[in-house]
Amino acid sequence: MKNRELAMIFEKIADCLEFKGESQFRIIAYRRAARAMQDLAEDVEELLKQNKLKDIAGIGAATAEKIEEYLATGTMQRYEEARKAVPDGLVEMMRIPGMGPKTVKLLYDKLKINSVADLEAAVKEGRMKGLRGFGPKKLENILRGISLMKTAGKRIRLGVALPLVESIIDALRTKVPVAQCLPAGSLRRMRETIGDIDILATGVNGPEIVNAFTKLPQVRYVLAEGDTKGSVITGEGLQVDLRVVAEESYGAALQYFTGSKDHNIRLREIARKKHLKVNEYGVFRGEKSIAGKTEEEVYKILGLDWVPPVLREDRGEIDAAREGRLPAIVEQSDIQGDLHVHSKWSDGKATIERMVLAAKEMGYKYVAITDHSYSTTIAKGLTVERLHKQIEEIEKLRKKIHGIEILTSTEMDIKPDGSLDFPDDVLEELDVVTASVHSAFKQDRSRLTARVLAAAENPNVDIIAHLTGRLIGEREPYDIDVEAVMKKAADTGTAIEVNAQWERLDIDDVNCRRAVDLGVNLVISTDSHNPSHLQYMRFGIATAQRGWAAKENVMNTRSISGLREWLSRAHVGAAR
DNA sequence: GCCGTTTTCGGCCCGACTGTTTTCAGTCG
């Protein structure tokens, strides 16, 4: 799959064009094309074969031709030219916070500075002396930018970012009176990783709030401090931006500060066509504010339904909002049970009883105990004999704990040769069966895919868990043909899991959207190894929402009888 | 370079903050 390669190439072309000072619009067009490639769940080669490249939003005649050229020849003329014209060092220099194309170009033209290392040396040797626009503060900022780029700049995962932002907001509230204070940006959109943290506050005294913010103990550097906006770097090297607005602008500011950038640009284009203007203070006709107190009225005045933050990625949600066909996305309150929970029997940290009681506490109507099978030796996987003992224990617990159904289950290993740990007659004894890959990740694409396809075809397998095996920022997805597995799952009724552990979020939002389009059944489960993990359901829900999943798409929104109906139907589907 | 419920050509989102400069360009989100 060449989608990612193409995304990188278009991004690089945009960088080079930016350096050369070409039209902003052309640069934006290339960046948009890059993102279109990034967001594409289907294989770009497949779309080329079907002659559908130009159906992708952001891909026009020129970029389609370049994609075709690259897929046919392995090179792209435009890319080769751009790389030759702009040394790699210059592109890297543009990544330094505070350094843009103009500054880099000027230093290259005047002083022949062409790398980050050379830039650092030049500042320290005083080579910029007398150069217009390079005062002492500017030089200081360049050095700081270089050190920031070295130490920071890494995206952090949602599960790490959320507690961090909560601690910052709590600290701010103790220092200064603020009416509203909440996370915006990619955090509010629940993206799987967060580049920087955005916080929106309302209050009458902007400068005082911003000042208190810049003096918080978490702050290492202050990047900017104005009347309504502050920007800092925390001890962890993470950038946090605070924006303060008046109460009457709350909705418009929240909308603006939640983004995404591309979503907002679309909104402003719509406004412009209606001879309106949208900014963070409201929606304006001429000088007059006509909306802004709530997000709902901002969207409404533009002729759109309110768009849930998780959908604001410019992935078709604007058109859907205009046409009244936004999905009724699945909500936490729809979830009736968790179908992926471990206990002490394998690598979980708590007894079955504690896990079940914690699930009941969540308000669930059922929970499946999915301990590992014996091939996963590192996790003390269960043999057939131990599985039978576990079933006996569950039967006892059923008599003891009421108000929640305990489902017998397994997270069974799909072995390297595609066979399964348990024979069919054992699987038939279980209420629900999950299968997943825990070994031989490095197998080639065809073997790995065949292995999972075989599991999905087994009528006794109900769910495929963490399909791609990725660990965000740690381990790449296995080389598996996700599209082929999904098509098989759509055919057999086998569900694909949205794993809610924030290190995994597997499948991701883009693949989830594709699954929904293909009519694949989903489950959202936490893969809990202790009772507190059950809370991670919110991350799984957010991922499914970002994938446009509705309640109907998600099997564990069903009542226990509805769930059992699907479990039996899945088997019929596979048998045909 | 993309795109069309005013357009197939002529548009293309909008404002805050900084640093250094005497009125604004560059950068960022």
Side-chain angles (χ1 to χ4, degrees):
Chain A
M1 196 143 123
K2 302 265 168 56
N3 301 20
R4 283 186 135 187
E5 277 171 45
L6 281 161
M8 276 171 49
I9 286 171
F10 285 139
E11 198 62 48
K12 183 93 173 184
I13 292 173
D15 287 338
C16 294
L17 296 182
E18 189 162 36
F19 174 78
K20 288 162 79 177
E22 282 204 41
S23 153
Q24 270 306 317
F25 304 115
R26 179 171 292 163
I27 294 164
I28 289 169
Y30 272 109
R31 294 213 194 279
R32 210 167 252 171
R35 215 175 58 84
M37 288 297 105
Q38 194 80 49
D39 285 352
L40 201 62
E42 295 161 274
D43 191 334
V44 65
E45 294 193 74
E46 201 51 46
L47 290 175
L48 171 63
K49 269 185 220 156
Q50 297 165 20
N51 201 21
K52 282 187 180 164
L53 283 183
K54 283 199 273 181
D55 294 350
I56 307 168
I59 302 297
T63 42
E65 204 172 287
K66 289 182 176 70
I67 292 171
E68 198 170 346
E69 177 196 355
Y70 183 74
L71 293 179
T73 67
T75 60
M76 190 190 298
Q77 198 62 34
R78 192 77 166 96
Y79 175 55
E80 299 304 330
E81 286 167 17
R83 286 190 55 179
K84 212 183 288 172
V86 185
D88 284 345
L90 297 181
V91 174
E92 207 195 342
M93 280 166 68
M94 289 196 292
R95 304 225 187 286
I96 300 170
M99 295 270 293
K102 298 286 194 323
T103 313
V104 171
K105 186 164 182 3
L106 189 130
L107 290 174
Y108 181 64
D109 288 344
K110 299 271 185 199
L111 299 175
K112 293 277 162 281
I113 294 171
N114 63 7
S115 74
V116 174
D118 193 23
L119 174 67
E120 190 169 3
V123 175
K124 288 178 175 163
E125 293 160 14
R127 270 189 261 161
M128 281 87 157
K129 213 173 165 75
L131 200 59
R132 190 185 160 81
F134 289 80
K137 285 239 177 176
K138 179 90 175 177
L139 296 180
E140 191 185 313
N141 282 342
I142 290 175
L143 287 182
R144 197 169 68 187
I146 292 172
S147 94
L148 269 181
M149 185 175 66
K150 285 176 184 165
T151 60
K154 251 189 98 176
R155 297 183 71 87
I156 62 168
R157 293 178 287 190
L158 184 59
V160 178
L162 265 181
L164 205 62
V165 70
E166 277 156 16
S167 83
I168 290 171
I169 288 175
D170 287 348
L172 185 62
R173 280 188 177 285
T174 65
K175 302 277 181 203
V176 64
V178 284
Q180 312 238 31
C181 194
L182 77 170
S186 50
L187 208 49
R188 183 164 179 248
R189 303 199 312 278
M190 298 287 275
R191 273 194 61 171
E192 63 189 37
T193 61
I194 309 295
D196 53 28
I197 290 179
D198 299 305
I199 300 172
L200 177 71
T202 60
V204 284
N205 194 337
E208 188 191 18
I209 297 170
V210 173
N211 187 257
F213 170 67
T214 61
K215 295 203 160 47
L216 290 177
Q218 288 95 334
V219 172
R220 178 163 29 135
Y221 295 130
V222 178
L223 293 174
E225 181 183 349
D227 289 346
T228 67
K229 189 178 158 183
S231 193
V232 303
I233 302 287
T234 67
E236 296 91 353
L238 194 69
Q239 183 169 335
V240 185
D241 298 331
L242 173 77
R243 190 67 190 266
V244 185
V245 297
E247 196 68 38
E248 63 264 25
S249 295
Y250 176 71
L254 184 59
Q255 196 292 314
Y256 157 78
F257 218 26
T258 297
S260 66
K261 188 177 163 149
D262 296 292
H263 176 89
N264 286 357
I265 288 174
R266 292 287 182 218
L267 237 52
R268 288 166 185 190
E269 283 169 1
I270 290 171
R272 180 173 262 272
K273 282 181 191 146
K274 293 180 185 290
H275 305 289
L276 301 173
K277 185 174 73 173
V278 178
N279 59 29
E280 56 265 56
Y281 302 109
V283 182
F284 294 84
R285 177 175 287 127
E287 296 290 303
K288 188 174 167 10
S289 169
I290 55 173
K293 203 163 172 51
T294 67
E295 281 194 329
E296 283 80 357
E297 65 181 35
V298 170
Y299 282 96
K300 189 169 176 211
I301 215 148
L302 298 176
L304 304 173
D305 290 340
W306 177 79
V307 180
V310 284
L311 299 183
R312 299 182 195 170
E313 298 291 347
D314 188 24
R315 293 176 180 167
E317 74 280 5
I318 303 259
D319 286 342
R322 182 166 37 218
E323 293 156 18
R325 52 174 182 81
L326 280 170
I329 49 176
V330 60
E331 301 285 346
Q332 171 86 48
S333 57
D334 295 326
I335 299 295
Q336 300 294 310
D338 199 324
L339 296 176
H340 193 162
V341 170
H342 294 271
S343 78
K344 268 185 160 170
W345 282 73
S346 63
D347 60 349
K349 297 288 179 278
T351 60
I352 297 177
E353 182 168 3
R354 272 191 67 205
M355 296 305 287
V356 171
L357 289 173
K360 192 179 165 185
E361 194 78 5
M362 296 283 293
Y364 293 154
K365 297 290 187 289
Y366 48 85
V367 59
I369 302 303
T370 51
D371 279 307
H372 290 284
S373 61
Y374 61 88
S375 284
T376 313
T377 47
I378 194 164
K380 296 188 298 175
L382 274 59
T383 58
V384 173
E385 194 188 357
R386 285 185 67 218
L387 180 66
H388 280 139
K389 285 195 174 139
Q390 186 182 57
I391 293 171
E392 282 171 28
E393 180 179 324
I394 287 174
E395 275 163 4
K396 280 182 203 155
L397 281 171
R398 281 171 175 165
K399 296 195 179 87
K400 191 172 161 190
I401 304 172
H402 299 282
I404 183 166
E405 191 101 14
I406 312 170
L407 303 175
T408 58
S409 189
T410 175
E411 182 185 4
M412 175 176 54
D413 207 44
I414 304 171
K415 291 193 274 193
D417 65 358
S419 66
L420 301 171
D421 253 358
F422 295 133
D424 283 329
D425 60 329
V426 172
L427 296 180
E428 280 165 16
E429 295 176 50
L430 298 169
D431 292 318
V432 51
V433 173
T434 289
S436 54
V437 166
H438 290 100
S439 59
F441 305 152
K442 303 280 186 202
Q443 277 180 341
D444 65 46
R445 186 177 177 85
S446 62
R447 285 182 72 189
L448 198 47
T449 305
R451 188 176 165 192
V452 177
L453 285 176
E457 271 171 5
N458 185 313
N460 289 312
V461 172
D462 304 305
I463 301 164
I464 303 291
H466 47 71
L467 175 62
T468 77
R470 71 158 180 175
L471 295 173
I472 300 170
E474 290 173 33
R475 184 169 76 205
E476 288 292 303
Y478 334 130
D479 187 13
I480 185 168
D481 187 343
V482 171
E483 178 87 2
V485 176
M486 285 190 183
K487 282 183 172 155
K488 174 65 70 182
D491 191 38
T492 59
T494 311
I496 291 182
E497 177 189 76
V498 176
N499 188 293
Q501 294 275 333
W502 50 259
E503 298 98 325
R504 289 190 182 270
L505 299 178
D506 185 8
I507 52 178
D508 67 10
D509 53 356
V510 171
N511 278 328
C512 183
R513 176 88 177 266
R514 183 67 185 150
V516 169
D517 286 347
L518 289 170
V520 174
N521 292 324
L522 299 170
V523 300
I524 309 172
S525 298
T526 60
D527 199 352
S528 284
H529 286 70
N530 72 52
S532 71
H533 284 178
L534 289 166
Q535 306 291 336
Y536 292 162
M537 184 58 84
R538 64 189 292 206
F539 302 122
I541 304 266
T543 302
Q545 291 176 327
R546 291 174 56 82
W548 293 46
K551 182 180 172 183
E552 305 77 65
N553 301 116
V554 181
M555 296 301 101
N556 55 320
T557 62
R558 295 186 170 201
S559 66
I560 185 69
S561 60
L563 184 79
R564 287 195 192 281
E565 196 186 316
W566 160 63
L567 289 171
S568 56
R569 192 167 58 198
H571 299 183
V572 173
R576 74 169 179 253

